[in-house]
Amino acid sequence: MAATARCKIRRHIRLAVIGAVVFTALAVGTVGASATTPMGASAAGLTRLGVGSTLSLIPSVRPGAGPRSPMPGFLLDRGRYTTFDPPETGVRLFPAGINNRGQITGEYLGPGNESGFLRDRRGKVTKVDLSGATATEVVKINDRGVITGAYSRTVPFLSDPNGMAHGFLLDRGKVTRIDVPGAVQTEAAGINDRRQVVGVFTDAGDTSHGFLWNKGRFTTIDVPGAAYTEPIDVNDRGQIVGIYGEGPGTGPIHGFLWDKGRYTTIDVPGVPITIPFGINDHGQIVGSTLTDAATLAGARGFLLRNGVDGPVTPISFPGAPRTLATGINDRGQIVGAYENPNTAPSP
């Protein structure tokens, strides 16, 4: 982590995806105490970005072709893995979310190109770029097809991980900008069918806080005693999962569940980093464990089928040295990415 956690854990993982061989219970408490603020209180609170989004359709890799990229995506459905590759060479896909319609969202990372993607259940990939943005980061999608993420108008995120970010919603071509009032930068991550959004913002003191955006109003989410908090997903019951750290850039990274004002820590035994990436409406949680977020060392997926009460079910693509599990829907379908053991490692 950066010294102040301003370089978010998901961004660390994105950097590892594009540049490495393969590819980022507490006591009872309430949601952090910042006052809710009407969206309209900020001049940049609700706007259109440019003239709209750019959605470019890209043919999917032909059926039956074996994985050729260093880090293919996967869909895990009732114990069966289906893999999918980027439709272009020299590109990395980082799947991040899946809805009940089987649509998969994530990041489309290539040399000098930072875009999002939407993959339909038939395998067609649509590249997502916001008009006027130098980088577009797509994270989750709800059952109505509304997409969340972040964008930058200054520098690409990969060349400058601390580039100024703005959160957004993309709904049938209409872009709604999400900026926490007074924040240096804002990133939207998870969304549910009630259009509640969670994410992370950086304040003027360079500290990361979580937020919940509900009907245009913000509520800050800070795990009590944590140095930084980063929510990643929210379900229709309002349960939120994410991560927090006890020190700025030091020590272990813990997962958390926020449910009706109560924080519960999520730590898979024996590893220093636990990242819950997704939660469905049944309270099932999927995520990944790591020993190093910057290199994805020791990456393994996990499923908490019964919620935080466990047990932990490992998710490991057969034969793959490393696996990341990043999203789950109400049907129990899980998406993620894995290290392809059949590709030659880069230096």
Coordinates of all heavy atoms in Angstrom, one line a residue, residues 213-311:
W213 N -23.6 6.0 -0.9 CA -24.4 7.0 -1.7 C -25.8 6.5 -1.8 O -26.0 5.4 -2.5 CB -23.7 7.3 -3.0 CG -24.3 8.4 -3.8 CD1 -24.3 9.7 -3.6 CD2 -25.1 8.2 -5.1 NE1 -25.0 10.4 -4.6 CE2 -25.4 9.4 -5.5 CE3 -25.4 7.0 -5.8 CZ2 -26.2 9.6 -6.7 CZ3 -26.2 7.2 -7.0 CH2 -26.5 8.5 -7.4
N214 N -26.8 7.1 -1.3 CA -28.1 6.7 -1.3 C -29.1 7.8 -1.6 O -29.2 8.8 -0.9 CB -28.5 6.1 0.1 CG -29.9 5.4 0.1 OD1 -30.4 5.0 -0.9 ND2 -30.5 5.4 1.3
K215 N -29.7 7.8 -2.8 CA -30.6 8.8 -3.3 C -29.9 10.2 -3.2 O -30.6 11.2 -2.8 CB -31.9 8.8 -2.4 CG -32.6 7.5 -2.6 CD -33.9 7.5 -1.7 CE -34.6 6.1 -1.9 NZ -35.9 6.1 -1.0
G216 N -28.7 10.3 -3.6 CA -28.0 11.6 -3.7 C -27.4 12.0 -2.4 O -26.8 13.1 -2.4
R217 N -27.4 11.3 -1.3 CA -26.9 11.7 -0.1 C -25.7 10.7 0.3 O -25.8 9.5 0.1 CB -27.9 11.7 1.0 CG -29.1 12.6 0.8 CD -30.1 12.6 1.9 NE -29.6 13.1 3.1 CZ -29.7 14.4 3.5 NH1 -30.3 15.3 2.7 NH2 -29.2 14.8 4.6
F218 N -24.7 11.3 0.9 CA -23.5 10.5 1.3 C -23.5 10.2 2.8 O -23.8 11.1 3.6 CB -22.2 11.3 0.9 CG -21.9 11.4 -0.5 CD1 -22.3 12.5 -1.2 CD2 -21.3 10.3 -1.2 CE1 -22.1 12.6 -2.6 CE2 -21.0 10.4 -2.5 CZ -21.4 11.6 -3.2
T219 N -23.1 9.0 3.2 CA -22.8 8.7 4.6 C -21.4 8.1 4.6 O -21.0 7.2 3.8 CB -23.7 7.7 5.1 OG1 -25.1 8.2 5.0 CG2 -23.4 7.3 6.6
T220 N -20.5 8.6 5.4 CA -19.1 8.1 5.5 C -19.1 6.7 6.3 O -19.9 6.5 7.3 CB -18.2 9.1 6.3 OG1 -18.2 10.3 5.5 CG2 -16.8 8.6 6.4
I221 N -18.3 5.8 5.8 CA -18.1 4.5 6.4 C -16.7 4.4 6.9 O -15.8 4.3 6.0 CB -18.5 3.4 5.4 CG1 -19.9 3.5 5.0 CG2 -18.2 2.0 6.1 CD1 -20.3 2.5 3.9
D222 N -16.4 4.4 8.2 CA -15.1 4.2 8.7 C -15.2 3.1 9.8 O -15.9 3.2 10.8 CB -14.6 5.5 9.4 CG -14.1 6.5 8.4 OD1 -13.5 6.1 7.4 OD2 -14.2 7.7 8.7
V223 N -14.4 2.0 9.5 CA -14.3 0.9 10.5 C -13.7 1.5 11.8 O -12.6 2.2 11.7 CB -13.5 -0.2 10.0 CG1 -13.3 -1.3 11.1 CG2 -14.2 -0.9 8.8
P224 N -14.3 1.4 13.0 CA -13.7 2.0 14.2 C -12.2 1.6 14.4 O -11.9 0.4 14.4 CB -14.6 1.5 15.3 CG -15.9 1.2 14.6 CD -15.5 0.7 13.2
G225 N -11.4 2.6 14.6 CA -10.0 2.4 14.9 C -9.1 2.1 13.7 O -7.9 1.9 13.8
A226 N -9.7 2.0 12.5 CA -8.9 1.7 11.3 C -8.2 3.0 10.7 O -8.7 4.1 10.9 CB -9.8 1.2 10.2
A227 N -7.1 2.7 10.1 CA -6.3 3.8 9.5 C -7.0 4.2 8.1 O -6.9 5.3 7.7 CB -4.9 3.5 9.3
Y228 N -7.6 3.3 7.5 CA -8.3 3.5 6.2 C -9.4 2.4 6.0 O -9.3 1.3 6.6 CB -7.3 3.5 5.0 CG -6.6 2.2 4.8 CD1 -7.1 1.1 4.1 CD2 -5.3 2.0 5.4 CE1 -6.5 -0.1 3.9 CE2 -4.6 0.8 5.2 CZ -5.2 -0.2 4.5 OH -4.5 -1.4 4.4
T229 N -10.4 2.8 5.3 CA -11.5 1.9 5.0 C -11.9 1.9 3.6 O -12.0 3.0 3.0 CB -12.7 2.3 5.9 OG1 -12.4 2.3 7.3 CG2 -13.9 1.3 5.6
E230 N -12.1 0.8 2.9 CA -12.4 0.7 1.5 C -13.6 -0.2 1.2 O -13.3 -1.4 1.1 CB -11.2 0.4 0.7 CG -11.5 0.4 -0.8 CD -10.3 0.0 -1.7 OE1 -9.2 -0.1 -1.2 OE2 -10.5 -0.3 -2.9
P231 N -14.8 0.2 1.2 CA -15.9 -0.7 0.8 C -15.8 -1.1 -0.7 O -15.4 -0.3 -1.5 CB -17.2 0.2 1.1 CG -16.7 1.3 2.0 CD -15.3 1.5 1.6
I232 N -16.3 -2.3 -1.0 CA -16.1 -2.8 -2.4 C -17.5 -3.2 -2.9 O -17.7 -3.0 -4.1 CB -15.1 -4.0 -2.4 CG1 -13.7 -3.5 -2.0 CG2 -15.0 -4.5 -3.9 CD1 -12.7 -4.6 -1.9
D233 N -18.4 -3.8 -2.1 CA -19.7 -4.2 -2.7 C -20.8 -4.1 -1.7 O -20.5 -4.0 -0.5 CB -19.5 -5.7 -3.1 CG -20.6 -6.1 -4.1 OD1 -21.3 -5.2 -4.7 OD2 -20.8 -7.3 -4.4
V234 N -22.0 -4.0 -2.2 CA -23.2 -3.9 -1.4 C -24.3 -4.7 -2.0 O -24.5 -4.8 -3.2 CB -23.6 -2.4 -1.2 CG1 -23.9 -1.8 -2.6 CG2 -24.8 -2.3 -0.3
N235 N -25.1 -5.4 -1.2 CA -26.2 -6.2 -1.7 C -27.5 -5.5 -1.5 O -27.6 -4.4 -0.9 CB -26.2 -7.6 -1.1 CG -26.5 -7.7 0.4 OD1 -26.9 -6.7 1.0 ND2 -26.2 -8.8 1.0
D236 N -28.7 -6.1 -1.9 CA -30.0 -5.5 -1.8 C -30.4 -5.4 -0.4 O -31.4 -4.7 -0.1 CB -31.0 -6.3 -2.6 CG -30.8 -6.1 -4.1 OD1 -30.0 -5.2 -4.5 OD2 -31.4 -6.8 -4.9
R237 N -29.8 -6.1 0.5 CA -30.2 -6.0 2.0 C -29.4 -4.9 2.7 O -29.6 -4.7 3.9 CB -29.9 -7.4 2.6 CG -30.8 -8.5 2.1 CD -30.2 -9.9 2.4 NE -30.0 -10.1 3.8 CZ -29.4 -11.2 4.3 NH1 -29.0 -12.2 3.5 NH2 -29.3 -11.4 5.6
G238 N -28.5 -4.2 1.9 CA -27.8 -3.2 2.5 C -26.5 -3.6 3.2 O -25.8 -2.8 3.8
Q239 N -26.2 -4.9 3.1 CA -24.9 -5.4 3.7 C -23.7 -5.0 2.8 O -23.8 -5.1 1.6 CB -25.0 -6.9 3.8 CG -26.0 -7.4 4.8 CD -26.1 -8.9 4.7 OE1 -26.3 -9.5 3.7 NE2 -26.1 -9.6 5.9
I240 N -22.7 -4.5 3.4 CA -21.5 -4.0 2.7 C -20.3 -4.8 3.1 O -20.1 -5.1 4.3 CB -21.3 -2.5 3.1 CG1 -22.5 -1.7 2.7 CG2 -20.0 -2.0 2.5 CD1 -22.5 -0.3 3.2
V241 N -19.5 -5.1 2.1 CA -18.2 -5.8 2.4 C -17.1 -4.9 1.8 O -17.2 -4.1 0.9 CB -18.1 -7.2 1.8 CG1 -19.0 -8.1 2.5 CG2 -18.3 -7.2 0.3
G242 N -15.9 -5.0 2.4 CA -14.7 -4.3 2.0 C -13.5 -4.6 2.8 O -13.5 -5.7 3.4
I243 N -12.6 -3.7 2.8 CA -11.3 -3.9 3.6 C -11.0 -2.7 4.5 O -11.5 -1.6 4.3 CB -10.1 -4.2 2.6 CG1 -9.9 -3.0 1.7 CG2 -10.3 -5.4 1.8 CD1 -8.6 -3.0 1.0
Y244 N -10.1 -3.0 5.5 CA -9.6 -1.9 6.3 C -8.2 -2.3 6.7 O -7.8 -3.5 6.7 CB -10.5 -1.6 7.5 CG -10.4 -2.6 8.6 CD1 -9.6 -2.5 9.7 CD2 -11.3 -3.7 8.6 CE1 -9.6 -3.4 10.7 CE2 -11.3 -4.7 9.6 CZ -10.4 -4.5 10.6 OH -10.4 -5.5 11.6
G245 N -7.4 -1.3 7.1 CA -6.1 -1.5 7.6 C -5.9 -0.8 8.9 O -6.5 0.2 9.2
E246 N -5.0 -1.4 9.8 CA -4.8 -0.8 11.1 C -3.8 0.3 11.1 O -3.7 1.1 12.0 CB -4.4 -1.9 12.1 CG -5.4 -3.0 12.2 CD -4.9 -4.2 13.0 OE1 -3.7 -4.2 13.3 OE2 -5.8 -5.1 13.3
G247 N -2.9 0.3 10.0 CA -1.9 1.3 9.9 C -1.7 1.8 8.5 O -2.1 1.1 7.6
P248 N -1.2 3.0 8.3 CA -1.1 3.6 6.9 C 0.0 2.9 6.2 O 1.2 3.2 6.3 CB -0.8 5.0 7.2 CG -0.1 5.1 8.5 CD -0.8 4.0 9.3
G249 N -0.4 1.9 5.4 CA 0.6 1.2 4.5 C 1.4 0.1 5.2 O 2.3 -0.5 4.7
T250 N 1.0 -0.2 6.5 CA 1.7 -1.3 7.2 C 0.7 -2.2 7.8 O -0.4 -2.0 7.9 CB 2.6 -0.6 8.3 OG1 1.6 0.0 9.3 CG2 3.6 0.4 7.8
G251 N 1.3 -3.4 8.1 CA 0.4 -4.4 8.8 C -0.5 -5.1 7.8 O -0.5 -4.9 6.6
P252 N -1.3 -6.0 8.4 CA -2.2 -6.8 7.6 C -3.4 -6.0 7.1 O -3.7 -4.9 7.5 CB -2.7 -7.9 8.6 CG -2.6 -7.2 10.0 CD -1.3 -6.4 9.8
I253 N -4.0 -6.6 6.1 CA -5.3 -6.0 5.5 C -6.4 -6.9 5.8 O -6.4 -8.1 5.5 CB -5.1 -5.8 4.0 CG1 -4.0 -4.8 3.7 CG2 -6.5 -5.3 3.4 CD1 -3.7 -4.7 2.2
H254 N -7.4 -6.4 6.5 CA -8.6 -7.2 7.0 C -9.8 -6.9 6.1 O -10.0 -5.8 5.6 CB -8.9 -6.9 8.4 CG -7.8 -6.9 9.4 ND1 -7.3 -8.0 9.9 CD2 -7.0 -5.9 9.8 CE1 -6.3 -7.7 10.7 NE2 -6.1 -6.4 10.7
G255 N -10.6 -7.9 5.9 CA -11.9 -7.7 5.4 C -12.9 -7.3 6.4 O -12.7 -7.5 7.6
F256 N -14.0 -6.8 6.0 CA -15.1 -6.5 7.0 C -16.5 -6.7 6.3 O -16.6 -6.6 5.1 CB -15.0 -5.1 7.5 CG -15.4 -4.0 6.6 CD1 -16.7 -3.6 6.5 CD2 -14.4 -3.3 5.8 CE1 -17.1 -2.5 5.6 CE2 -14.8 -2.3 4.9 CZ -16.1 -1.9 4.9
L257 N -17.4 -6.9 7.2 CA -18.9 -6.9 6.8 C -19.5 -5.9 7.6 O -19.4 -5.9 8.9 CB -19.5 -8.3 7.0 CG -21.0 -8.3 7.0 CD1 -21.5 -8.1 5.5 CD2 -21.6 -9.6 7.5
W258 N -20.3 -4.9 7.0 CA -21.1 -4.0 7.7 C -22.6 -4.4 7.5 O -23.0 -4.6 6.4 CB -20.9 -2.6 7.2 CG -21.8 -1.6 8.0 CD1 -21.4 -0.9 9.1 CD2 -23.1 -1.1 7.7 NE1 -22.4 -0.1 9.6 CE2 -23.5 -0.2 8.7 CE3 -24.0 -1.5 6.7 CZ2 -24.7 0.4 8.7 CZ3 -25.2 -0.8 6.7 CH2 -25.6 0.1 7.7
D259 N -23.3 -4.7 8.6 CA -24.7 -5.1 8.6 C -25.5 -4.5 9.7 O -25.2 -4.8 10.9 CB -24.7 -6.7 8.7 CG -26.1 -7.2 8.5 OD1 -27.0 -6.5 8.0 OD2 -26.3 -8.4 8.8
K260 N -26.4 -3.6 9.3 CA -27.3 -2.9 10.3 C -26.5 -2.3 11.4 O -26.8 -2.4 12.6 CB -28.3 -3.9 10.8 CG -29.2 -4.5 9.8 CD -30.1 -5.6 10.4 CE -31.0 -6.2 9.3 NZ -31.8 -7.3 9.8
G261 N -25.4 -1.5 11.1 CA -24.7 -0.8 12.1 C -23.6 -1.6 12.8 O -22.9 -1.0 13.6
R262 N -23.4 -2.8 12.4 CA -22.5 -3.7 13.1 C -21.3 -4.1 12.1 O -21.6 -4.5 11.0 CB -23.1 -4.9 13.7 CG -22.2 -5.8 14.5 CD -22.9 -7.1 14.8 NE -22.1 -8.0 15.7 CZ -22.2 -8.0 17.0 NH1 -23.1 -7.2 17.6 NH2 -21.4 -8.8 17.7
Y263 N -20.1 -3.9 12.6 CA -18.9 -4.3 11.8 C -18.4 -5.6 12.3 O -18.3 -5.8 13.5 CB -17.8 -3.3 12.0 CG -18.0 -1.9 11.3 CD1 -18.6 -0.9 12.0 CD2 -17.7 -1.7 10.0 CE1 -18.8 0.3 11.4 CE2 -17.9 -0.5 9.4 CZ -18.4 0.5 10.1 OH -18.6 1.8 9.5
T264 N -18.1 -6.5 11.4 CA -17.5 -7.8 11.7 C -16.3 -8.0 10.8 O -16.4 -7.8 9.6 CB -18.5 -9.0 11.5 OG1 -19.7 -8.8 12.2 CG2 -17.9 -10.3 11.8
T265 N -15.2 -8.3 11.5 CA -13.9 -8.5 10.7 C -14.0 -9.9 10.0 O -14.5 -10.9 10.5 CB -12.7 -8.5 11.7 OG1 -12.6 -7.1 12.2 CG2 -11.4 -8.9 11.0
I266 N -13.4 -9.9 8.8 CA -13.3 -11.1 8.0 C -11.8 -11.4 7.8 O -11.2 -10.7 7.0 CB -14.0 -11.0 6.7 CG1 -15.5 -10.7 6.9 CG2 -13.9 -12.3 5.9 CD1 -16.3 -10.4 5.6
D267 N -11.3 -12.4 8.4 CA -9.9 -12.8 8.3 C -9.8 -14.3 8.0 O -10.2 -15.1 8.8 CB -9.1 -12.5 9.5 CG -8.6 -11.0 9.6 OD1 -8.4 -10.4 8.5 OD2 -8.4 -10.5 10.7
V268 N -9.3 -14.7 6.8 CA -9.0 -16.1 6.6 C -7.7 -16.5 7.3 O -6.7 -15.8 7.2 CB -8.9 -16.4 5.1 CG1 -8.4 -17.8 4.8 CG2 -10.2 -16.1 4.3
P269 N -7.8 -17.5 8.1 CA -6.6 -17.9 9.0 C -5.3 -18.1 8.1 O -5.4 -18.7 7.1 CB -7.1 -19.1 9.7 CG -8.6 -19.1 9.7 CD -8.9 -18.4 8.4
G270 N -4.2 -17.7 8.7 CA -2.9 -18.0 8.1 C -2.4 -17.1 7.0 O -1.4 -17.4 6.4
V271 N -3.1 -16.1 6.7 CA -2.7 -15.1 5.6 C -2.8 -13.7 6.1 O -3.7 -13.4 6.9 CB -3.5 -15.3 4.3 CG1 -3.2 -16.6 3.6 CG2 -5.0 -15.2 4.6
P272 N -1.9 -12.8 5.6 CA -2.0 -11.4 6.1 C -3.0 -10.5 5.4 O -3.3 -9.4 5.9 CB -0.6 -10.9 5.8 CG -0.1 -11.7 4.6 CD -0.7 -13.1 4.8
I273 N -3.5 -10.9 4.2 CA -4.4 -10.1 3.5 C -5.6 -10.9 3.1 O -5.6 -11.9 2.4 CB -3.7 -9.6 2.2 CG1 -2.5 -8.7 2.5 CG2 -4.7 -8.7 1.3 CD1 -1.7 -8.3 1.3
T274 N -6.8 -10.4 3.5 CA -8.1 -11.0 3.2 C -8.9 -9.9 2.5 O -9.1 -8.8 3.1 CB -8.8 -11.5 4.4 OG1 -8.0 -12.6 5.0 CG2 -10.2 -12.1 4.0
I275 N -9.4 -10.1 1.3 CA -10.2 -9.1 0.5 C -11.5 -9.7 0.1 O -11.6 -10.5 -0.8 CB -9.4 -8.7 -0.7 CG1 -8.0 -8.2 -0.4 CG2 -10.2 -7.5 -1.4 CD1 -7.1 -7.9 -1.6
P276 N -12.6 -9.3 0.8 CA -13.9 -9.7 0.3 C -14.3 -8.8 -0.9 O -14.5 -7.6 -0.7 CB -14.8 -9.5 1.5 CG -13.9 -9.2 2.7 CD -12.7 -8.6 2.1
F277 N -14.4 -9.4 -2.1 CA -14.7 -8.6 -3.2 C -16.2 -8.5 -3.6 O -16.6 -7.6 -4.3 CB -14.0 -9.2 -4.5 CG -12.6 -8.8 -4.6 CD1 -11.6 -9.7 -4.5 CD2 -12.2 -7.5 -4.9 CE1 -10.2 -9.4 -4.7 CE2 -10.9 -7.1 -5.1 CZ -9.9 -8.1 -5.0
G278 N -17.0 -9.4 -3.1 CA -18.4 -9.4 -3.5 C -19.3 -10.1 -2.5 O -18.9 -11.0 -1.7
I279 N -20.6 -9.7 -2.4 CA -21.6 -10.3 -1.6 C -22.9 -10.3 -2.3 O -23.3 -9.3 -3.0 CB -21.7 -9.5 -0.2 CG1 -22.7 -10.2 0.7 CG2 -22.1 -8.0 -0.5 CD1 -22.7 -9.6 2.1
N280 N -23.6 -11.4 -2.2 CA -24.9 -11.5 -2.9 C -26.0 -11.4 -1.9 O -25.8 -11.1 -0.7 CB -25.0 -12.9 -3.7 CG -25.0 -14.1 -2.8 OD1 -25.2 -14.0 -1.6 ND2 -24.8 -15.2 -3.4
D281 N -27.3 -11.5 -2.4 CA -28.4 -11.2 -1.5 C -28.7 -12.3 -0.5 O -29.5 -12.1 0.4 CB -29.7 -11.0 -2.4 CG -29.6 -9.7 -3.2 OD1 -28.8 -8.8 -2.9 OD2 -30.4 -9.5 -4.1
H282 N -28.0 -13.4 -0.6 CA -28.1 -14.5 0.4 C -27.0 -14.3 1.5 O -27.0 -15.1 2.4 CB -27.9 -15.8 -0.3 CG -28.9 -16.1 -1.4 ND1 -30.2 -16.1 -1.2 CD2 -28.7 -16.4 -2.7 CE1 -30.8 -16.4 -2.4 NE2 -29.9 -16.5 -3.3
G283 N -26.2 -13.2 1.4 CA -25.2 -13.0 2.3 C -23.9 -13.8 2.1 O -23.0 -13.8 2.9
Q284 N -23.8 -14.5 1.0 CA -22.6 -15.3 0.6 C -21.6 -14.3 0.1 O -21.8 -13.4 -0.6 CB -22.9 -16.3 -0.5 CG -23.9 -17.4 0.0 CD -24.4 -18.3 -1.1 OE1 -24.5 -17.9 -2.3 NE2 -24.6 -19.5 -0.8
I285 N -20.4 -14.5 0.6 CA -19.2 -13.6 0.4 C -18.1 -14.3 -0.4 O -17.8 -15.5 0.0 CB -18.7 -13.1 1.7 CG1 -19.8 -12.3 2.4 CG2 -17.5 -12.2 1.5 CD1 -19.4 -11.9 3.9
V286 N -17.6 -13.7 -1.4 CA -16.5 -14.2 -2.2 C -15.4 -13.2 -2.2 O -15.6 -12.0 -2.1 CB -17.0 -14.5 -3.6 CG1 -17.1 -13.3 -4.5 CG2 -16.0 -15.5 -4.4
G287 N -14.2 -13.8 -2.2 CA -13.0 -12.9 -2.2 C -11.7 -13.6 -2.4 O -11.7 -14.7 -2.9
S288 N -10.6 -13.0 -2.0 CA -9.3 -13.5 -2.3 C -8.4 -13.2 -1.1 O -8.6 -12.3 -0.4 CB -8.7 -12.9 -3.6 OG -9.5 -13.2 -4.7
T289 N -7.4 -14.1 -0.9 CA -6.4 -13.9 0.1 C -5.0 -13.8 -0.6 O -4.8 -14.4 -1.7 CB -6.3 -15.1 1.1 OG1 -6.0 -16.3 0.4 CG2 -7.6 -15.2 1.8
L290 N -4.1 -13.0 0.0 CA -2.8 -12.7 -0.6 C -1.8 -12.6 0.5 O -2.1 -12.4 1.6 CB -2.8 -11.4 -1.4 CG -3.9 -11.2 -2.5 CD1 -4.0 -9.7 -2.8 CD2 -3.5 -12.0 -3.7
T291 N -0.5 -12.9 0.1 CA 0.6 -12.5 1.0 C 1.2 -11.2 0.6 O 1.9 -10.6 1.4 CB 1.6 -13.7 1.0 OG1 2.1 -13.9 -0.3 CG2 1.0 -15.0 1.5
D292 N 1.0 -10.8 -0.7 CA 1.5 -9.5 -1.1 C 0.6 -8.9 -2.2 O 0.4 -9.5 -3.2 CB 2.9 -9.6 -1.7 CG 3.6 -8.3 -2.0 OD1 2.9 -7.3 -2.2 OD2 4.8 -8.3 -2.2
A293 N 0.0 -7.8 -1.9 CA -1.0 -7.2 -2.9 C -0.3 -6.7 -4.1 O -0.9 -6.7 -5.2 CB -1.8 -6.1 -2.2
A294 N 0.9 -6.2 -4.0 CA 1.6 -5.6 -5.2 C 2.0 -6.6 -6.2 O 2.1 -6.3 -7.4 CB 2.8 -4.8 -4.7
T295 N 2.3 -7.9 -5.8 CA 2.7 -8.9 -6.7 C 1.7 -10.1 -6.9 O 2.0 -11.0 -7.6 CB 4.1 -9.5 -6.3 OG1 3.9 -10.2 -5.0 CG2 5.1 -8.4 -6.1
L296 N 0.6 -10.0 -6.1 CA -0.3 -11.1 -6.1 C 0.2 -12.4 -5.6 O -0.3 -13.5 -5.9 CB -1.0 -11.3 -7.4 CG -1.7 -10.1 -8.1 CD1 -2.5 -10.6 -9.3 CD2 -2.6 -9.5 -7.1
A297 N 1.3 -12.3 -4.8 CA 1.9 -13.5 -4.2 C 0.9 -14.3 -3.3 O 0.1 -13.7 -2.5 CB 3.1 -13.2 -3.4
G298 N 0.8 -15.6 -3.5 CA -0.1 -16.4 -2.7 C -1.6 -16.2 -3.0 O -2.4 -16.5 -2.1
A299 N -1.9 -15.7 -4.2 CA -3.3 -15.4 -4.4 C -4.2 -16.7 -4.5 O -3.9 -17.6 -5.2 CB -3.5 -14.7 -5.8
R300 N -5.2 -16.7 -3.7 CA -6.2 -17.8 -3.6 C -7.6 -17.2 -3.4 O -7.8 -16.2 -2.7 CB -5.9 -18.7 -2.4 CG -4.6 -19.5 -2.6 CD -4.7 -20.5 -3.7 NE -3.4 -21.3 -3.7 CZ -2.4 -21.0 -4.5 NH1 -2.4 -19.9 -5.2 NH2 -1.3 -21.8 -4.5
G301 N -8.6 -17.8 -4.1 CA -9.9 -17.4 -3.9 C -10.6 -18.1 -2.7 O -10.1 -19.1 -2.2
F302 N -11.7 -17.5 -2.2 CA -12.4 -18.2 -1.1 C -13.9 -17.8 -1.2 O -14.3 -16.8 -1.8 CB -11.9 -17.8 0.3 CG -12.2 -16.4 0.7 CD1 -13.4 -16.0 1.3 CD2 -11.2 -15.4 0.5 CE1 -13.6 -14.6 1.6 CE2 -11.4 -14.1 0.9 CZ -12.6 -13.7 1.4
L303 N -14.7 -18.7 -0.7 CA -16.2 -18.5 -0.6 C -16.7 -18.7 0.8 O -16.3 -19.7 1.4 CB -16.9 -19.4 -1.5 CG -18.5 -19.5 -1.4 CD1 -19.1 -18.2 -1.8 CD2 -19.0 -20.6 -2.2
L304 N -17.4 -17.7 1.4 CA -18.1 -17.9 2.6 C -19.6 -18.2 2.3 O -20.4 -17.3 2.2 CB -17.9 -16.7 3.5 CG -16.5 -16.4 4.0 CD1 -16.4 -15.1 4.7 CD2 -15.9 -17.5 4.8
R305 N -19.9 -19.5 2.2 CA -21.2 -19.9 1.7 C -22.3 -19.5 2.7 O -23.4 -19.2 2.4 CB -21.2 -21.4 1.4 CG -22.4 -21.8 0.6 CD -22.3 -23.3 0.3 NE -21.1 -23.8 -0.3 CZ -20.9 -23.7 -1.6 NH1 -21.8 -23.3 -2.4 NH2 -19.7 -24.2 -2.1
N306 N -21.9 -19.5 4.0 CA -22.9 -19.2 5.1 C -22.6 -17.9 5.7 O -22.9 -17.6 6.8 CB -22.8 -20.3 6.1 CG -23.2 -21.7 5.6 OD1 -24.1 -21.8 4.8 ND2 -22.4 -22.7 6.0
G307 N -21.9 -17.0 4.9 CA -21.6 -15.7 5.4 C -20.4 -15.7 6.4 O -19.6 -16.6 6.3
V308 N -20.3 -14.7 7.2 CA -19.1 -14.6 8.1 C -19.0 -15.7 9.1 O -17.9 -15.9 9.7 CB -19.1 -13.2 8.8 CG1 -18.9 -12.1 7.9 CG2 -20.4 -13.1 9.6
D309 N -20.1 -16.5 9.3 CA -20.0 -17.6 10.2 C -19.3 -18.8 9.6 O -19.1 -19.8 10.3 CB -21.4 -18.0 10.7 CG -22.1 -17.0 11.5 OD1 -21.4 -16.2 12.2 OD2 -23.3 -16.8 11.4
G310 N -18.9 -18.7 8.3 CA -18.1 -19.8 7.7 C -18.9 -21.0 7.4 O -20.1 -21.0 7.4
P311 N -18.2 -22.1 7.0 CA -16.8 -22.2 6.9 C -16.2 -21.6 5.6 O -17.0 -21.2 4.8 CB -16.6 -23.8 6.9 CG -17.8 -24.3 6.2 CD -18.9 -23.3 6.7

